[in-house]
Amino acid sequence: MLQQDGVEELCSAVEALRVDRSTGLPARHQPITLLWGLGRAAAGHPRLVPWVDARTELRRLLRKYGRPGSDPSPEYPFVALSRSPLWELDGVTGEVPQARGSRLRQWLTAQNPRGGLRNKVYAITAADPAARQRVVDALLLRFFDGEDPLLLLRDFRLTDPAFDGFGAVPGIDVGQPFADRRALAAARVHRPNQAGICGTAEQGAESIVVSGGYEDDEDYGDVIVYTGQGGRDPDTGRQVRDQELTRGNAALVTSLTTGAPVRVVRGAGGEPEYSPTTGLRYDGLFRVEDYWSERGHSGYLVWRYRLTQLPRTAVAPQPTIPAPRQPEGQQAPTRTRVTTQRIVRSTAVADFVKRAHDYTCQVCDIRLATPTGAYAEAAHIQPLGRPHAGPDIAANVLCLCPNHHVLFDLGMLTIGDDLTVTSRAGGSHRARLREVASHQVGREYLAYHRTHHSATYIA
């Protein structure tokens, strides 16, 4: 439970902290020492620590995170913080020295006082992770611009063990506003200060920012057609060269294959209907459902991604049809919200196609038997929804095994108008796609799929 009054008081104390600014930037000695104390509160370690036990660890942190060229001596912040309402010294006899240098060092050696967060500060931040995060965010925002907050917080033992950078950020609510990119980074919602995509090709994308920076972006609220990074003139916002499937662009493809959700932040420059009027706003988790390349408005190759907001309500599964009679389907499929880790459509159309092929893959002829019966997956050739608008009809659906479904969706497997199967992933497959009399595949949908994935990167 966030103790609002107490937290606001602590954040105000952080803002009022007096530090050296002789270099033009605020010194970090006292903030680093406070983060060390907050890390102890998070771990449940004793509040007060004798000077001789604290100095080595504080020196390491000051050397690593202090301003370049600054003195990493921990004596001054350990003592000077006691003049703030955040820190205290215990076991002190006589007056506490105000000066730096050898006199202060000698005094600390002789007295060996215990230092740490004041009792009230420790009690609030140890008991309430959200309150602690607010204080940490205030310190990061004021003093640590340019640092990677995730790495820094790990070093101070201030990261939530369950939070690895992906998914929802502990203590951050959907709809929470942020003044600028620095505030986003400090809160761990979106770590880069400039890039629109945070992530790596190896691990996937953590977050994206949608702020109207790319001319090909489309925002429909719960569906975003997002343009990848690179090739844009920062002054005009127009594409001036082709994009490549590397860095953040590759990270979003990895997120599609793993199914991990991506945090979405909207900025004031985006689609007015769905964007904040000022600053930035965290708008929740989305899942990457599709990606492709195409020529954008300026004629250059761009990578595009269809992201859908994670649904929040469930619907009952539709009953299967008793016999393989082809249903009408829908030329313009409607949309419903479901709670799931991966969208699995169980419609009459999908069921018909699988029954027509006896749950046997049309590409490799594999029929998977399970304790509850045969298993196959229905793959839409021209994807449903914006911007593809594929129909939910049998001619636009294939019966595939899980492996070939994934390869088909990623463009690693394509099918010609003569039904020739081309796989860029290796493995065994039929030379031609198998059809049956009751289920004929629409060639126009196969052509759309080939065009859609014509520039898919092959490592």
Side-chain angles (χ1 to χ4, degrees):
M1 178 69 182
L2 188 64
Q3 305 171 53
Q4 192 65 33
D5 292 342
V7 175
E8 294 301 333
E9 183 181 336
L10 299 186
C11 290
S12 296
V14 168
E15 290 300 319
L17 202 60
R18 298 181 62 183
V19 300
D20 178 67
R21 287 181 170 271
S22 58
T23 65
L25 295 171
R28 292 175 172 174
H29 296 71
Q30 294 182 66
I32 287 171
T33 305
L34 283 173
L35 287 173
W36 171 76
L38 289 166
R40 294 186 64 82
H45 293 164
R47 179 173 67 90
L48 299 175
V49 185
W51 162 246
V52 294
D53 296 332
R55 58 187 178 185
T56 301
E57 177 67 0
L58 284 174
R59 186 181 298 277
R60 180 188 73 82
L61 294 170
L62 287 164
R63 184 177 289 113
K64 186 172 183 179
Y65 296 108
R67 298 288 183 191
S70 65
D71 182 1
S73 299
E75 290 86 358
Y76 177 74
F78 192 83
V79 172
L81 270 174
S82 64
R83 296 192 285 272
S84 82
L86 300 169
W87 190 266
E88 72 170 286
L89 291 178
D90 180 64
V92 173
T93 301
E95 186 179 348
V96 177
Q98 300 292 314
R100 303 169 182 258
S102 59
R103 181 186 172 197
L104 181 59
R105 192 174 300 114
Q106 292 168 4
W107 181 86
L108 284 168
T109 302
Q111 299 242 354
N112 192 28
R114 297 189 304 160
L117 300 176
R118 289 188 183 271
N119 190 54
K120 178 182 177 181
V121 179
Y122 183 93
I124 292 175
T125 57
D128 190 340
R132 181 173 62 248
Q133 189 61 51
R134 284 281 306 280
V135 180
V136 170
D137 289 347
L139 285 164
L140 295 180
L141 186 59
R142 185 179 174 198
F143 297 104
F144 293 91
D145 183 29
E147 294 287 346
D148 184 334
L150 191 58
L151 295 178
L152 185 147
L153 293 178
R154 283 174 180 163
D155 213 352
F156 284 91
R157 298 186 294 274
L158 282 165
T159 51
D160 187 326
F163 180 64
D164 59 359
F166 293 87
V169 181
I172 302 298
D173 297 324
V174 175
Q176 186 164 326
F178 295 89
D180 51 31
R181 286 291 196 99
R182 290 179 59 210
L184 274 180
R188 301 177 292 171
V189 175
H190 185 77
R191 294 189 288 118
N193 282 327
Q194 288 188 329
I197 306 172
C198 176
T200 65
E202 293 74 25
Q203 294 185 308
E206 297 178 19
S207 56
I208 64 171
V209 173
V210 184
S211 58
Y214 284 85
E215 60 188 3
D216 295 298
D217 282 349
E218 301 174 43
D219 192 345
Y220 303 102
D222 60 349
V223 174
I224 296 171
V225 181
Y226 186 74
T227 307
Q229 62 185 192
R232 184 179 70 97
D233 185 320
D235 296 324
T236 66
R238 297 179 66 83
Q239 287 295 127
V240 294
R241 64 180 184 275
D242 290 346
Q243 292 182 345
E244 299 179 354
L245 196 57
T246 57
R247 300 183 299 140
N249 296 340
L252 283 168
V253 177
T254 300
S255 295
L256 184 152
T257 59
T258 63
V262 177
R263 293 187 298 278
V264 167
V265 175
R266 285 186 170 96
E271 177 63 35
E273 184 177 356
Y274 306 110
S275 303
T277 55
T278 60
L280 302 119
R281 184 184 67 221
Y282 170 55
D283 277 359
L285 299 177
F286 283 61
R287 196 176 304 284
V288 183
E289 287 196 341
D290 195 9
Y291 85 105
W292 66 98
S293 62
E294 63 185 32
R295 296 290 167 183
H297 287 108
S298 298
Y300 293 94
L301 189 73
V302 295
W303 288 95
R304 309 194 74 195
Y305 307 84
R306 184 176 188 270
L307 295 94
T308 59
Q309 191 164 21
L310 281 187
R312 300 171 185 174
T313 57
V315 295
Q318 299 184 29
T320 57
I321 56 177
R325 183 176 126 197
Q326 185 168 156
E328 292 181 3
Q330 302 178 75
Q331 285 292 338
T334 56
R335 186 175 302 178
T336 186
R337 292 184 179 272
V338 294
T339 298
T340 179
Q341 287 300 305
R342 177 182 177 190
I343 295 176
V344 180
R345 297 175 178 89
S346 179
T347 67
V349 170
D351 191 70
F352 162 77
V353 171
K354 290 186 284 186
R355 285 174 176 266
H357 293 275
D358 191 28
Y359 296 89
T360 302
C361 180
Q362 289 180 255
V363 168
C364 66
D365 289 332
I366 287 178
R367 185 177 190 271
L368 297 174
T370 76
T372 57
Y375 177 81
E377 296 183 355
H380 283 85
I381 304 169
Q382 180 175 336
L384 308 183
R386 295 186 179 102
H388 313 293
D392 193 13
I393 59 175
N396 188 37
V397 175
L398 297 176
C399 177
L400 299 177
C401 66
N403 285 352
H404 283 121
H405 188 177
V406 170
L407 293 177
F408 187 78
D409 282 352
L410 294 178
M412 300 296 288
L413 185 150
T414 57
I415 301 167
D417 287 344
D418 62 354
L419 303 185
T420 298
V421 177
T422 300
S423 175
R424 292 178 257 187
S428 60
H429 57 81
R430 295 173 56 89
R432 297 180 73 250
L433 184 81
R434 176 174 44 76
E435 285 187 310
V436 294
S438 60
H439 175 233
Q440 299 291 300
V441 177
R443 271 46 174 185
E444 66 272 33
Y445 308 126
L446 294 176
Y448 183 94
H449 179 267
R450 293 195 302 274
T451 302
H452 181 57
H453 291 289
S454 60
T456 297
Y457 173 79
I458 306 299

